[in-house]
Amino acid sequence: MTAVVAWQKSSFSDGGDAPNCIELAAFQGALRLRESDEPGTVIATTGPGLAALIRHLREHDRY
C-alpha cells in the first residue's frame, strides 16, 4: 500500500501573479517541499531548516 501525502499549497500562490505554487507536507518525520509544476521533485527538510530558508529568502528579497 502506498502512503498518502497531504500537500498544502502556500497562501501566497492563490493570486493571479503567482504562476508557480510551492506546496508543503509533513511526512515520515520530515517536512517536504515541492513546486506544483514539478511534483516529482521533492526536498526534505526539518522545521529549523525551513525556518532558516524562509529567513534567508526574506533577507534577500529583491522585489
Side-chain angles (χ1 to χ4, degrees), residues 24-25 29-33 43-51 53:
L24 176 71
L31 296 174
R32 315 277 176 168
L33 296 167
I43 298 171
T45 188
T46 62
L50 179 58
L53 173 64

Side-chain angles (χ1 to χ4, degrees), residues 16-35:
D17 294 333
N20 298 321
C21 301
I22 300 297
E23 298 174 327
L24 176 71
F27 184 67
Q28 295 182 339
L31 296 174
R32 315 277 176 168
L33 296 167
R34 72 179 185 183
E35 218 175 307

Side-chain angles (χ1 to χ4, degrees), residues 38-63:
E38 289 196 39
T41 303
V42 178
I43 298 171
T45 188
T46 62
L50 179 58
L53 173 64
I54 292 169
R55 274 193 309 275
H56 176 79
L57 293 173
R58 285 182 177 165
E59 290 171 3
H60 296 90
D61 183 13
R62 301 194 191 277
Y63 297 104

